[in-house]
Structure formats: structure tokens, C-alpha cells
Amino acid sequence: MTEKNNLSPVERIKTSSDGLRGTLKESLKDDITGALHEDDQSLIKFHGLYQQDDRDRREERTAKKLEWLYSYMIRLRLPGGFLTPEQWIGLHHIAGEHSTGTIKITTRQTVQLHGIIKSDIKPTIQSFNTLHLDSIAACGDVNRNVTCSAHPNESPLHAEVFSYAGKISQLALPKTRAYYDIWLDEEQIAEKSEEDPLYQDRYLPRKFKIGLVIPPNNDVDVLTNDVGLIAIIENNELKGFNIAAGGGLSATHGNPSTYPRLATILGFVSGEANVLKAVYEIMTIQRDNGNRSDRKLARLKYTIDRMGIPGFKAELEKRCGFKLEAPRAYAFTERKDHYGWGQSSSGNWHYTVFVENGRVLDDKKVPLKTGLLEIAKTGKINFRFTGNQNVILSDISPSNKEEIEILLNKFGINAHTDSAGVLRKNAIACVAFNTCPLALAEAQRYLPTLIDKIEPILSKYSLDKDEITLRMTGCPNGCGRSPAAEIGLIGTAYGQYNLHIGGDRVGERLNIKYRDSLGEDQILQELDSLFGSYSRDKNTDETFGDFVIRQKIV
Ligand code: SRM
Ligand code: SF4
């Protein structure tokens, strides 16, 4: 059967959805169930929400013959991950009123709230709207949150590069007014065209991700995106971008036709109009050529591998009407957040706060949520999220620095940031249990305690200052970018993880599976042995990932 005749069920849901409206309005009114009608569960993603249930309580609810405990997660669209202090204050209160209360910073520089019940979705979206925030296209088969190097310190031209995140996000927004109609009660105006030349009525075959980076710090892991734009700055001028395409990290256990892939650099493009045109046309190529029958093989990475790089590039140049130049020279030397204070060329100060696995809450370690609220109330900082799930309190004028420092001290935020170990500060874990329906194993709830046990091993070999990247995900979808870490722990079943090693430190080489389905004791034993060899036999300045490759351990 041809792919056209064998479209995946989601394709029908999209094309027959009346511009992503489906029966969402009816689903919301149905108070017999906490869930949505089946098709609407797919459509609501395009509005930035996911239907979930509390997986900790599934068994109990099933035993009592009760419906699972359904609730919703909302993800904001925040190109480049920026919030004003007023928006943070609003977010803080919305989280308290409608969700579990925890503000979750994601690996794509935005925030999620979990545990919103069906009747609270609309008030939540309406409250965000008053803050000029939306969740349009934060999920679904469209372009997702556009990421960008977070720290204003990365370059005097940071603001210029950052502005592209907003422009690309705008360029790739769906044209339907469904979001305004369903959630904000906007009247449907017949004359207002919803025609969408980019997405048409079928949208993309799969999710689509775009990131921008300013070398030498690859803090956003740019090559893991469908499209990665590497800023080329020469003589203090933004000359353009090297454009990379075809990144994506997911694989499915036991399905060899799926694989993680880093984006391939296609060439260099200069001038805003041409950069935006190239990004747009990469999306149209994927729209027209991506696999619409098997969602596991639908990402751009598979389209590119099917078409071949020369074929893909030729099609892109044809659609753009111009040629890509040869890629310009650049180098990544790190991929990390610089914690604590930093001053940029403008003279402004910025403080990067360590947020373990992106969870902003008050716990026994630190009253982070209260502290950030009090800091926001000064109105003297902005919030910038990083791709490593942290937050930068940014754009603080020199005269306001002391006031912010006093508050950081008062709430123990700087002590919390300073005292965390290097491994912990560079680590990422995805959400996983109890909300992610795809989780096979724990991640953010477990990694902190596993790190407690790994730290003494590192100390034993005097490696506690080594900037090793360790990332854990509850399944092989790679939301915590585990395939791009020096050490990746990838959930296979509850309490079990595949151990991957050999990724490089800067995000230009993926790791390789080393051991299957290990429990905690086995993970610690394997790491003890690997760290022992590394500390003994490594060359000066050799990273862990490079060492295990050179030694052919994988
Ligand atoms: Fe992800 C699905 C959480 C970044 C690859 N991801 C999910 C869902 C929505 C589960 C679902 O489909 O029902 C997870 C919700 C869990 C929850 O309860 O909150 C989820 N992904 C996350 C976040 C929150 C992880 C985090 O702890 O920060 C990240 C949100 C990013 C954002 O703000 O937009 C997140 N997800 C990623 C990344 C990393 C990145 O983009 O930098 C990846 C790997 C890169 C890539 O896309 O290849 C990623 N998520 C996936 C996939 C695999 C896609 C594929 O190609 O097959 C899925 C599953 C799917 O789409 O079917 C998925
Ligand atoms: Fe869920 Fe898997 Fe993504 Fe973790 S990696 S959030 S378990 S889909």
C-alpha cells in the first residue's frame, strides 16, 4: 500500500479538524469525564496542552473501578525563553491557583505547569493571555518553542541573534484562530482568512524544532534540532548563520529503523530575509516529503536521510531561489550554563540560578519559588530560561545588583547554587513519572538521589571538579537529550536503564549503548570501574566521553 493510502490516524484528525477546533468546545463541557474526546486529545497538543493522568494512582483508581485521575499539562510558547518580572509574578500565581504549584523549566527554555483539571484549562489560558503569554503551537505537528543561546554574555550581539527566535516563532505560527476562538471566546469572523500556506490543513508530518546558537557555547545543543542555526559573528558583526538540518534524538527500543541523529550543516546563509526563507522552505520540504504513515519515521531526520544530503540541499536551493554558501568556520568549546554572577559588555549583571532538573518549588533544600517571587517583585530583573533547565536573573543594572544580591542571600539561592556539585549542575533529567504517559522509568524524581551516590565515586578518583555531562531520561525519546551526553541513562523498565557513554562534551557526537537494562547497583559498579580507568589513563585535558572512545571502551 502506498504511504498516501496508509495515512496515520493523526493525519485524518488534523485535516478534518476545522482548523484544529475539532470538538474541543464540546469535550470541555462534558463533565462526566475528566478526559477529552479521543480525537481532541491529539488536537489539544496544537494548543500547547497534553492530557495526562497521575500514574502513581493508576493502579489504585483501576482497582476502585474509577476513571484515571486526568489532568492537563500546559507548555508556554516563549521564543528564546524570556519573561518579564511581571510575567513571572503572574506565572507564579497561576501555578498556585490552577496547577500542582511547581513551575517546571523545560529543556527547550520554556515552562510547563502540570495537574490542571479540565474545568481550569480555560481560566489558565485566559490568565496567561492577560500577561501577553500564550501556548499556541508549543506542542503538536508544528514548529515548537524556538530556542536560543540564553546568556546575554555570550556575545555583544546576543540581542540581535535572540530577536531571530521571535521572528522564526512568528513565521511558523499556525494561521488558524482556533486558540482565540476556543479559549479566549473570540468571535469567529467569516471574512478573516485562516488560509495557511505553510501548514495547509495537514500541518507537518511530525513535531518540528528550531534552535539558534552563538558559538563557542553550544548551550542549546543546537545540532539536536530539526533546524539548527549557528550564528557567524565576524568583526563584531552578525554575518549570517550556518544552517544545519536533520537533528532529532528519539529512538524506539527494539526498532532498528529509528535512531538519534545530529543535524548536518548544509551551508551558510546571510541576510535576514534569506535566513527566514531557508528555514521556511526546510519546513515546506518536510511538509511535502515527510512520512505521514509511520509517525515513528516522520521526523525531518528520516526525510533527509531518505532524500540524501545533496538531494535535500538541491531541493532547498530550488525552493529558496538562491544557493547556500560554503559553511563558515566556527568552533564549540563548551555546552554549559555559567552559574552565579556575570557582567555583559553593556555593563548589566546577570545571575544564573541552579534549578535542579528545572523544578521551581519551595523544598527543604531551598525556598526557590518564594525567593524568585520576591526577586521578581523588585521589577529590576528579567527571567531567561536556559536549555539546561536553569534560570538567569538577567539585565540587572549595576546600581540594582546589591539589592538582588541581598535577596539571593536571604533566600539561600546563591548558597544553593554555589554548593551544588559540578556533576549535578551539568546534569539534566526529563520529567518522566508521575505525569509522562510514555515513561518507562523515573528521571527527575530519581536522578538527584542517584547523583548523591555517584558523587562519592567521583571524589574517590578526584574527579569531582570534572565537568562530565550526565543525562537521564525515562524512555528513549530523549527529552533530557540523553543521547547527546557523555553519560546517558535511558529508561527501559521501572528501575532499569541502558547505560550509554562516549558522547562528546560540546554536543557534536552522540553516545553509544554500553550496557543494557542496569539497576542502580550495576550502574554504580559500571561507573566506578569507568571512572577508575578514566582517572588513571586519561590524557591531560581529555574528557570522559573522548576517553572512552579513544580507549575503544565503546
Ligand atoms: Fe519531549 C514527548 C517532555 C524536550 C523528544 N516530551 C514528550 C511528552 C509530551 C510526552 C507525551 O508525548 O505525552 C513529555 C511530557 C512529560 C511531562 O509530563 O511533562 C515530554 N520534552 C519534555 C520536556 C518537558 C522534558 C523536560 O524535562 O524538560 C521538554 C519540553 C520541551 C519544550 O519546552 O518544548 C522535552 N522532547 C524534548 C527533547 C529535547 C529538545 O527538544 O531539546 C526531545 C529530543 C529532541 C527531539 O525532539 O528529537 C524530545 N518528547 C520527545 C519525543 C520523541 C520525538 C520523536 O522524534 O519521536 C516525544 C514522543 C513523541 O513525540 O511521540 C516526546
Ligand atoms: Fe517522557 Fe520519555 Fe520524554 Fe522522559 S524522555 S519526558 S519519559 S517521553
Side-chain angles (χ1 to χ4, degrees):
M1 210 182 315
T2 65
E3 207 183 275
K4 205 167 179 187
N5 293 330
N6 192 20
L7 293 177
S8 81
V10 180
E11 292 301 317
R12 181 202 47 83
I13 295 173
K14 288 185 281 189
T15 49
S16 59
S17 69
D18 181 22
L20 303 177
R21 288 176 179 82
T23 58
L24 270 165
K25 281 187 181 172
E26 290 77 22
S27 268
L28 289 174
K29 281 191 204 130
D30 181 355
D31 49 18
I32 309 238
T33 167
L36 301 171
H37 302 162
E38 204 176 319
D39 286 2
D40 295 333
Q41 292 172 26
S42 295
L43 292 177
I44 201 166
K45 295 182 189 179
F46 291 79
H47 300 252
L49 290 112
Y50 285 80
Q51 180 180 308
Q52 304 185 317
D53 72 285
D54 184 345
R55 295 190 59 186
D56 288 343
R57 300 190 57 191
R58 260 190 204 177
E59 259 180 54
E60 168 212 326
R61 306 275 300 182
T62 308
K64 289 184 184 156
K65 298 203 168 33
L66 290 170
E67 180 176 87
W68 286 351
L69 205 51
Y70 291 113
S71 65
Y72 297 81
M73 173 268 273
I74 188 166
R75 183 185 287 164
L76 294 182
R77 180 176 67 92
L78 295 183
F82 179 89
L83 284 184
T84 63
E86 296 77 24
Q87 288 172 326
W88 178 271
I89 294 169
L91 168 67
H92 176 106
H93 294 306
I94 295 170
E97 245 165 80
H98 297 299
S99 79
T100 58
T102 301
I103 298 170
K104 160 78 186 179
I105 305 171
T106 75
T107 50
R108 293 194 70 75
Q109 296 180 292
T110 182
V111 290
Q112 293 184 174
L113 301 181
H114 292 88
I116 302 167
I117 57 169
K118 195 162 85 174
S119 54
D120 272 3
I121 300 177
K122 207 164 162 175
T124 303
I125 294 182
Q126 293 186 337
S127 303
F128 277 129
N129 189 53
T130 62
L131 300 167
H132 307 290
L133 292 172
D134 67 64
S135 60
I136 304 172
C139 328
D141 295 346
V142 280
N143 171 52
R144 305 285 186 91
N145 202 45
V146 181
T147 60
C148 179
S149 287
H151 206 295
N153 244 356
E154 297 299 348
S155 161
L157 300 180
H158 178 266
E160 191 178 348
V161 177
F162 175 82
S163 74
Y164 274 85
K167 287 172 194 160
I168 293 170
S169 179
Q170 202 57 39
L171 174 80
L173 264 189
K175 298 283 181 283
T176 169
R177 301 291 300 174
Y179 183 90
Y180 300 92
D181 170 14
I182 297 170
W183 312 110
L184 303 172
D185 299 326
E186 178 186 85
E187 299 225 348
Q188 240 175 303
I189 305 166
E191 308 85 69
K192 217 171 205 175
S193 169
E194 294 194 351
E195 205 181 320
D196 198 327
L198 173 59
Y199 294 123
Q200 302 170 347
D201 64 349
R202 52 191 177 143
Y203 299 88
L204 297 180
R206 206 60 167 86
K207 57 173 64 166
F208 200 89
K209 299 182 174 178
I210 302 173
L212 298 139
V213 75
I214 305 175
N217 188 1
N218 185 18
D219 62 331
V220 294
D221 251 322
V222 75
L223 299 178
T224 64
N225 287 272
D226 293 271
V227 177
L229 299 171
I230 302 164
I232 302 296
I233 294 174
E234 291 163 5
N235 304 321
N236 294 323
E237 221 185 287
L238 178 64
K239 297 289 181 189
F241 295 89
N242 281 345
I243 299 200
L249 293 182
S250 173
T252 303
H253 291 310
N255 181 347
S257 50
T258 63
Y259 49 84
R261 185 188 191 283
L262 289 178
T264 309
I265 296 180
L266 302 175
F268 171 82
V269 178
S270 62
E272 185 181 310
N274 283 0
V275 170
L276 296 181
K277 176 78 174 156
V279 170
Y280 186 90
E281 295 301 352
I282 293 175
M283 280 192 274
T284 67
I285 300 177
Q286 164 66 351
R287 179 197 65 206
D288 299 339
N289 295 278
N291 185 327
R292 288 184 186 260
S293 64
D294 184 348
R295 289 182 65 78
K296 293 225 172 290
L297 302 178
R299 291 290 293 273
L300 177 69
K301 61 183 172 178
Y302 301 113
T303 314
I304 286 198
D305 284 345
R306 233 179 326 111
M307 294 175 74
I309 298 292
F312 187 87
K313 195 172 156 186
E315 181 63 25
L316 178 62
E317 291 178 338
K318 192 172 103 199
R319 291 187 185 213
C320 285
F322 58 81
K323 294 239 174 269
L324 271 57
E325 293 173 35
R328 298 268 176 105
Y330 73 96
F332 291 135
T333 55
E334 58 180 6
R335 181 179 44 160
K336 58 187 275 198
D337 289 344
H338 290 273
Y339 290 99
W341 286 109
Q343 192 177 23
S344 51
S345 52
S346 66
N348 279 345
W349 288 91
H350 317 277
Y351 186 93
T352 306
V353 179
F354 169 55
V355 185
E356 194 156 24
N357 303 321
R359 303 174 85 192
V360 178
L361 70 165
D362 291 343
D363 63 13
K364 32 182 208 310
K365 282 189 192 161
V366 60
L368 188 57
K369 199 174 161 208
T370 304
L372 291 181
L373 177 67
E374 291 309 314
I375 292 172
K377 281 183 187 166
T378 65
K380 292 172 180 165
I381 48 131
N382 290 313
F383 286 77
R384 293 175 190 266
F385 304 118
T386 79
N388 296 310
Q389 304 168 314
N390 296 303
V391 62
I392 305 168
L393 309 176
S394 71
D395 313 294
I396 303 164
S397 69
S399 57
N400 292 330
K401 182 174 178 248
E402 195 183 336
E403 184 182 349
I404 303 303
E405 179 125 48
I406 289 170
L407 288 168
L408 288 168
N409 270 321
K410 179 174 169 195
F411 292 96
I413 294 174
N414 48 4
H416 167 74
T417 297
D418 292 347
S419 63
V422 173
L423 183 77
R424 196 180 297 275
K425 283 208 260 208
N426 287 323
I428 297 181
C430 73
V431 178
F433 283 92
N434 61 329
T435 50
C436 177
L438 308 177
L440 304 169
E442 296 278 356
Q444 69 177 14
R445 297 200 300 195
Y446 170 53
L447 188 61
T449 52
L450 182 68
I451 289 180
D452 289 343
K453 295 172 190 177
I454 297 174
E455 279 175 339
I457 305 176
L458 287 169
S459 298
K460 183 166 90 180
Y461 298 114
S462 306
L463 292 172
D464 26 2
K465 297 279 177 287
D466 199 307
E467 304 252 2
I468 296 170
T469 54
L470 165 70
R471 295 173 178 180
M472 171 180 275
T473 50
C475 84
N477 280 325
C479 300
R481 293 194 291 271
S482 45
E486 290 179 274
I487 303 174
L489 288 166
I490 299 181
T492 54
Y494 206 81
Q496 299 203 314
Y497 301 84
N498 285 347
L499 172 60
H500 291 233
I501 54 175
D504 68 344
R505 196 154 286 182
V506 299
E508 294 184 314
R509 183 181 66 231
L510 296 174
N511 55 32
I512 300 167
K513 187 163 74 174
Y514 176 58
R515 293 282 185 263
D516 273 304
S517 290
L518 304 182
E520 181 176 287
D521 289 347
Q522 295 158 306
I523 293 170
L524 295 173
Q525 268 168 29
E526 291 291 352
L527 291 182
D528 194 321
S529 146
L530 288 166
F531 291 155
S533 321
Y534 173 53
S535 68
R536 201 175 48 242
D537 300 328
K538 73 181 178 128
N539 293 331
T540 319
D541 292 334
E542 190 173 31
T543 61
F544 177 76
D546 288 352
F547 168 79
V548 297
I549 296 292
R550 180 176 60 82
Q551 291 278 353
K552 298 191 171 40
I553 297 173
V554 276

